[in-house]
Amino acid sequence: RVAARGMGGSGKTILAAAVARDSRILSRFQVVAWVTFGQRPCISQLQRSILTQLGGTAPADADETALLEAMQAAALDKKVLLVIDDAWHVEHERSLYCLDDASGSACLLTTRISGLVKGYAEVELMQLGRQQALELLLKAGEVDEVACAARDVALQAVELCGRLPLCLAIAGANVAKLSIAALKRTISRAGLSTDGLIERRELEEAATRALQILEERWRESSDDEESPPSGSRVLRCSHISRHWI
């Protein structure tokens, strides 16, 4: 029995999902049963969910005690990996723990509360380091590198996210969306169409052509050899979607 503990957004559910999908772990179990609690769960519904995942059944009018007994019968002699996600009270675990301990089954529980259930080996999910958090933010944002001038800003974003994996992933996804929008604006600014451009690679190629067109237009209209105005100069980065500029 293992309990993964950490504050909200620390990656408890992501960790549990990774464990439940790992082929090396799956090879040791016959069944994986997963339920998520939250602060106001309906215990009987969760019990029925586990029972169904175990291949068991129970009468429609069965109460929580009868459902737990049916779950225990369904889990008998089976190697089961039971994942109890986001438990808030010890009663949550007691109402769902149905494993046959002699069968080699295991239970992974995630919670925000230290020492919630006795008998579990507790693993605390620590805050990510700054570099780890930055790498996660950039990966989620599909950004390959950060310009030196923007690194401090990126690190500020990391701290604003509390270095929490969930928050960093959401922020990174927003960065990716913004980069797509920037690509489309660049393409449209050059008078090109974005119709039919779905893949990022296609958008990047079209944006590169658009940047060439925009620079040619500027040079044709300019009487000197200076760099384009600041707005156009920013657009000259042909990897606009892959660089944090």
Side-chain angles (χ1 to χ4, degrees), residues 35-50 64 84-96 110 113 116:
V35 287
T36 298
F37 268 99
Q39 296 188 51
R40 297 179 180 179
C42 177
I43 301 299
S44 62
Q45 287 183 0
L46 296 176
Q47 288 177 319
R48 286 190 180 278
S49 175
I50 291 178
E64 292 180 9
I84 301 175
D85 184 38
D86 199 22
W88 285 77
H89 303 283
V90 64
E91 291 78 9
H92 291 173
E93 190 268 354
R94 291 174 179 170
S95 65
L96 297 186
T110 73
I113 303 168
L116 179 68

Side-chain angles (χ1 to χ4, degrees), residues 186-215:
T186 302
I187 295 168
S188 297
R189 185 175 178 183
L192 303 178
S193 174
T194 59
D195 293 343
L197 300 179
I198 300 176
E199 299 293 331
R200 177 181 289 273
R201 177 183 55 78
E202 297 173 332
L203 288 167
E204 289 177 346
E205 291 174 353
T208 299
R209 293 195 299 272
L211 290 167
Q212 293 171 347
I213 292 172
L214 290 171
E215 186 167 344

Side-chain angles (χ1 to χ4, degrees), residues 5 7 26 46 49 52 61 76 86 88 100 102-103 109 124 139 144 146 149 156 158 163 170 195 199 213 216 226:
R5 178 178 66 84
M7 63 188 297
L26 291 176
L46 296 176
S49 175
T52 298
D61 60 351
L76 189 64
D86 199 22
W88 285 77
D100 178 0
S103 68
L109 178 145
E124 182 180 3
K139 183 176 181 179
D144 289 338
V146 182
Q156 288 178 27
V158 162
R163 303 188 204 170
I170 293 172
D195 293 343
E199 299 293 331
I213 292 172
E216 289 173 2
E226 295 180 2

